[in-house]
C-alpha cells in the first residue's frame, strides 16, 4: 500500500510538471525536486502606469473642487457640462488605477502563466466595457435617446459584423473549452505552429515547417486566422498539458539477409540510452490518464518497440517507436539516427543496407 501511494504521488508530481513544461529533462527535474513557489516580481513600468493614472485622477478631482469653490468663474450651463466631463474623466482614471492595481498585484501573482494570460484578457475587456459605459453616461444625458441610438447602431452593426462577432464568441469558447492555449503546438486546417497570441478576434501562430521546410523548424512566418475557425475546423493539439508528448518513429530499409535480432537490439539500445528513463516516466503518466477513461485496456509499452514489415520495393523496414515532446521531435530524431547508423554501419556483415545502385 505504501509503495502504491508513493507511486501515485510520483504520478501526480509528473502530471503537475507536465503542465508547466514540454521539455522532458525539465519535467523530470521538476518532478524529483520539491515544488518551488511562484515568485512575483514588480516591474518599474507597472508602478509608473499606476502612479500616472492616480495622478490624473487627483488632478481631475482638484479641478472639480476648484470649480465648485469658484462658481462665478463659469456660467451655469457651461459649469454643469464641464463638471459632467470632469466627473466622467475622474471616474475613468479611478477605474484605470484600480484595474492596474488588480492586474499587477492580484492577477500577476497567479502561478500558472496561461491562466494569468487569459484572466488579463478577460479583465481588460471588462475594464473597457466599464469605461465605455462611463463615456456614454457623460456624452448622453438623455438615456432614452442613448439607448435608442445604441439599439439602432447595434442592429446595423450586427448584420455588418457577423464574422467579428462570431470570432469574439469563439474567443470565449477557446477560454472555456481550451482546444488550445498560448504556448501549445497545434495544427488547424493548413496552419501548423506554436500559439503565441489569442486575441479577442484572431489567433496568431509562429509557423513551424511550412512549404519551404520539411522539419519542425520555425519558418520565420506568422499565421493569423479568425477565432471562429475552431467552430468548423478540427484542431490537432500536440501540447495537451497533462501529456505534452507524441509518438514518433524512425524507419530503416534493410535486406532480408540482415541480422534482424541485432538490428532490433541496436535500435532499442540507442533509444533506451538517449530517452529510455524519461520515456518510461512519460508512459506511466499516460497509463494513469488512460486508467480514468474507457480505453484503459489499451496496451502501451513503457520502452521502445521495434517492428519489421515488408516494404513495397522488396526491402524490409525496421521501425522503432518512441515518445518525444513535439517541439523536440526533429532534434531527437536526428540524434538517434546518427547514433543508430554509426553502430549498424560498424557491423556491415550483420546489417545490409540497400546499395546506391539498387534503390
Amino acid at each position: 500500500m505504501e509503495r502504491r501511494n508513493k507511486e501515485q504521488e510520483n504520478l501526480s508530481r509528473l502530471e503537475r510538471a507536465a503542465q508547466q513544461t514540454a521539455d522532458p529533462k525539465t519535467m523530470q527535474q521538476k518532478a524529483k525536486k520539491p515544488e518551488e513557489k511562484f515568485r512575483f516580481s514588480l516591474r518599474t513600468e507597472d508602478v509608473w502606469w499606476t502612479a500616472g493614472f492616480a495622478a490624473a485622477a487627483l488632478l481631475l478631482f482638484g479641478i472639480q473642487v476648484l470649480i465648485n469653490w469658484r462658481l462665478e468663474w463659469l456660467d451655469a450651463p457651461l459649469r454643469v457640462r464641464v463638471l459632467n466631463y470632469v466627473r466622467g474623466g475622474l471616474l475613468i482614471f479611478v477605474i484605470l488605477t484600480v484595474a492596474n492595481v488588480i492586474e499587477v498585484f492580484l492577477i500577476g501573482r497567479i502561478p500558472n502563466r496561461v491562466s494569468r494570460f487569459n484572466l488579463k484578457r478577460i479583465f481588460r475587456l471588462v475594464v473597457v466595457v466599464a469605461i465605455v459605459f462611463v463615456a456614454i453616461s457623460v456624452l448622453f444625458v438623455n438615456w432614452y435617446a442613448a439607448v435608442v441610438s445604441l439599439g439602432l447602431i447595434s442592429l446595423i452593426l450586427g448584420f455588418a459584423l457577423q464574422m467579428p462577432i462570431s470570432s469574439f464568441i469563439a474567443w470565449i469558447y477557446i477560454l472555456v473549452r481550451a482546444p488550445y492555449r498560448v504556448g501549445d503546438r497545434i495544427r488547424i486546417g493548413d496552419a501548423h505552429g506554436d500559439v503565441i497570441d489569442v486575441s479577442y478576434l484572431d489567433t496568431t501562430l509562429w509557423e513551424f515547417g511550412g512549404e519551404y521546410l520539411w522539419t519542425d523548424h520555425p519558418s520565420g512566418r506568422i499565421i493569423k486566422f479568425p477565432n471562429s475557425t475552431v467552430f468548423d475546423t478540427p484542431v490537432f493539439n500536440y501540447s495537451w498539458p497533462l501529456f505534452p508528448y507524441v509518438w514518433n518513429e524512425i524507419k530503416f530499409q534493410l535486406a532480408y539477409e540482415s541480422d534482424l535480432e541485432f538490428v532490433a537490439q541496436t535500435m532499442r539500445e540507442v533509444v533506451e540510452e538517449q530517452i529510455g528513463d524519461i520515456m518510461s516516466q512519460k508512459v506511466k503518466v499516460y497509463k494513469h490518464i488512460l486508467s480514468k477513461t474507457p480505453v484503459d485496456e489499451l496496451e502501451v509499452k513503457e520502452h521502445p518497440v521495434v517492428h519489421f514489415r515488408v516494404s513495397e520495393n522488396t526491402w524490409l523496414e525496421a521501425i522503432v517507436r518512441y515518445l518525444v515532446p513535439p517541439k523536440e521531435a526533429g532534434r531527437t530524431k536526428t540524434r538517434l539516427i546518427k547514433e543508430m547508423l554509426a553502430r549498424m554501419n560498424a557491423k556491415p556483415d550483420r546489417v545490409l543496407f540497400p546499395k546506391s545502385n539498387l534503390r
Side-chain angles (χ1 to χ4, degrees):
M1 179 65 68
E2 182 179 355
R3 181 181 178 183
R4 188 170 184 179
N5 292 337
K6 187 176 181 180
E7 183 178 356
Q8 182 69 27
E9 182 181 355
N10 291 334
L11 288 172
S12 299
R13 295 172 76 87
L14 281 168
E15 289 179 9
R16 289 193 294 270
Q19 291 178 346
Q20 300 172 10
T21 180
D23 178 63
K25 293 183 179 179
T26 306
M27 187 193 78
Q28 192 179 37
Q29 292 171 0
K30 286 187 176 183
K32 290 182 178 179
K33 292 192 304 184
E35 297 182 12
E36 298 179 358
K37 292 184 177 180
F38 169 74
R39 293 183 180 179
F40 169 75
S41 58
L42 182 63
R43 299 182 304 174
T44 306
E45 54 265 32
D46 292 331
V47 177
W48 280 109
W49 277 109
T50 305
F53 292 145
L58 287 175
L59 177 62
L60 290 174
F61 179 75
I63 294 174
Q64 178 180 337
V65 172
L66 183 61
I67 293 174
N68 289 327
W69 181 41
R70 295 289 187 177
L71 298 177
E72 67 277 5
W73 285 3
L74 299 173
D75 295 335
L78 180 61
R79 184 173 63 250
V80 172
R81 185 182 305 172
V82 171
L83 280 175
N84 194 33
Y85 291 153
V86 170
R87 288 167 185 160
L90 173 61
L91 185 55
I92 287 175
F93 279 106
V94 168
I95 292 174
L96 289 173
T97 304
V98 175
N100 204 59
V101 170
I102 293 175
E103 182 174 317
V104 173
F105 293 97
L106 294 182
I107 300 178
R109 293 180 183 272
I110 297 175
N112 189 282
R113 180 176 59 89
V114 176
S115 299
R116 195 165 60 244
F117 176 87
N118 290 335
L119 279 177
K120 281 184 178 180
R121 280 292 170 85
I122 296 173
F123 183 68
R124 288 174 182 176
L125 178 62
V126 173
V127 171
V128 170
V129 171
I131 292 175
V132 170
F133 179 80
V134 172
I136 292 175
S137 301
V138 172
L139 295 175
F140 296 95
V141 179
N142 188 343
W143 270 97
Y144 177 77
V147 170
V148 172
S149 300
L150 288 176
L152 292 175
I153 294 174
S154 300
L155 183 62
I156 296 172
L157 292 179
F159 288 103
L161 303 176
Q162 292 184 18
M163 181 62 73
I165 292 173
S166 298
S167 292
F168 180 77
I169 296 174
W171 173 71
I172 299 175
Y173 169 80
I174 292 170
L175 292 183
V176 175
R177 299 294 297 171
Y180 55 81
R181 312 176 307 167
V182 173
D184 287 354
R185 175 162 295 186
I186 68 169
R187 178 166 64 87
I188 177 169
D190 296 329
H192 177 230
D194 292 339
V195 181
I196 59 176
D197 186 32
V198 182
S199 66
Y200 303 118
L201 299 180
D202 55 37
T203 296
T204 306
L205 299 184
W206 180 253
E207 186 188 39
F208 275 72
E211 56 186 317
Y212 302 110
L213 299 172
W214 66 270
T215 57
D216 286 336
H217 190 276
S219 68
R221 304 184 300 186
I222 62 171
I223 302 173
K224 282 185 175 288
F225 59 87
N227 293 334
S228 58
T229 306
V230 300
F231 288 145
D232 53 17
T233 306
V235 178
F236 298 87
N237 193 326
Y238 302 96
S239 304
W240 184 41
L242 290 182
F243 195 75
Y245 308 101
V246 294
W247 265 269
N248 212 337
E249 292 181 340
I250 293 177
K251 178 171 60 177
F252 289 108
Q253 290 186 336
L254 307 168
Y256 284 90
E257 295 83 3
S258 300
D259 187 342
L260 301 186
E261 288 296 329
F262 173 77
V263 172
Q265 180 181 354
T266 301
M267 297 177 75
R268 278 196 301 265
E269 286 178 354
V270 171
V271 177
E272 285 279 5
E273 292 171 5
Q274 298 286 340
I275 57 175
D277 293 338
I278 302 175
M279 177 176 170
S280 177
Q281 295 293 336
K282 298 172 191 174
V283 175
K284 286 182 180 178
V285 175
Y286 190 70
K287 285 184 174 180
H288 180 62
I289 297 172
L290 284 180
S291 66
K292 302 177 182 179
T293 69
V295 295
D296 59 331
E297 72 278 359
L298 182 64
E299 184 179 5
V300 182
K301 301 292 184 182
E302 296 183 6
H303 302 281
V305 178
V306 177
H307 297 280
F308 294 95
R309 70 180 182 185
V310 178
S311 176
E312 295 179 356
N313 56 5
T314 71
W315 296 95
L316 283 178
E317 289 183 347
I319 305 169
V320 61
R321 185 181 301 124
Y322 56 92
L323 270 178
V324 65
K327 298 180 182 181
E328 298 288 334
R331 288 189 291 269
T332 301
K333 178 175 286 189
T334 300
R335 187 173 70 250
L336 293 177
I337 289 175
K338 286 182 177 179
E339 183 62 26
M340 290 178 188
L341 284 177
R343 296 191 187 186
M344 289 191 288
N345 281 328
K347 302 288 184 179
D349 56 328
R350 306 183 68 178
V351 183
L352 305 176
F353 290 109
K355 301 296 182 181
S356 59
N357 59 348
L358 295 179
R359 292 179 183 174

